[in-house]
Amino acid sequence: MKRTGASYQETANSFGIKELSIIANWNRAFNREGVEGLKSKPKGRPSMSKQPKKKKPKDNGTMSKEQALERENELLRLENAYLKKLKAYEENPNAYLEKHKQRWHSSSKKKGTN
């Protein structure tokens, strides 16, 4: 197109392409990125990384004030949940155990046992 001065229509006809927008997109990509712009690009979401994310090493004993408060908040929530369960158990042990017992399904039984 640049050398011959052909229009999008003439270029599309010479290559047997019906959509002029394809030629326009190719021209725009070539002008922006050169030959690299015309190469195929992967489509869709990239696959997940095989390697796990590396966690930052924690400083020994040094936490920011915000981190210390978040940790304390988490511990208080755990304590609160524990105390609620303990209270429910003390009020009615049989009902609590019935509600929280594990359910064994037939698929989890060992072979040869009924």
Side-chain angles (χ1 to χ4, degrees):
M1 272 177 46
K2 279 188 173 182
R3 280 186 269 151
T4 62
S7 67
Y8 291 146
Q9 181 69 49
E10 293 168 343
T11 305
N13 288 341
S14 66
F15 290 103
I17 299 172
K18 294 181 182 178
E19 293 293 323
L20 298 178
S21 61
I22 294 174
I23 302 295
N25 290 339
W26 287 349
N27 189 34
R28 197 174 312 113
F30 181 76
N31 289 337
R32 224 180 313 125
E33 302 172 37
V35 176
E36 292 295 317
L38 299 177
K39 291 184 178 178
S40 303
K41 294 179 180 75
K43 294 184 179 182
R45 185 177 185 158
S47 61
M48 291 181 58
S49 174
K50 301 270 187 217
Q51 297 183 4
K53 292 182 180 180
K54 294 180 182 176
K55 294 183 180 180
K56 295 179 182 178
K58 293 184 179 179
D59 294 335
N60 294 335
T62 57
M63 293 177 130
S64 71
K65 188 172 183 177
E66 184 179 348
Q67 288 173 328
L69 290 173
E70 286 178 1
R71 176 73 177 144
E72 182 182 3
N73 195 6
E74 180 183 359
L75 292 174
L76 289 171
R77 282 189 182 132
L78 289 171
E79 182 181 4
N80 191 18
Y82 172 76
L83 291 173
K84 283 181 181 179
K85 289 180 181 181
L86 180 63
K87 182 180 177 185
Y89 176 74
E90 288 174 347
E91 287 176 358
N92 193 348
N94 292 332
Y96 181 84
L97 291 174
E98 184 65 29
K99 182 179 178 183
H100 292 89
K101 74 178 179 180
Q102 288 185 333
R103 307 268 190 253
W104 293 99
H105 300 287
S106 61
S107 63
S108 64
K109 289 183 181 177
K110 293 183 179 178
K111 291 183 180 177
T113 60
N114 288 331

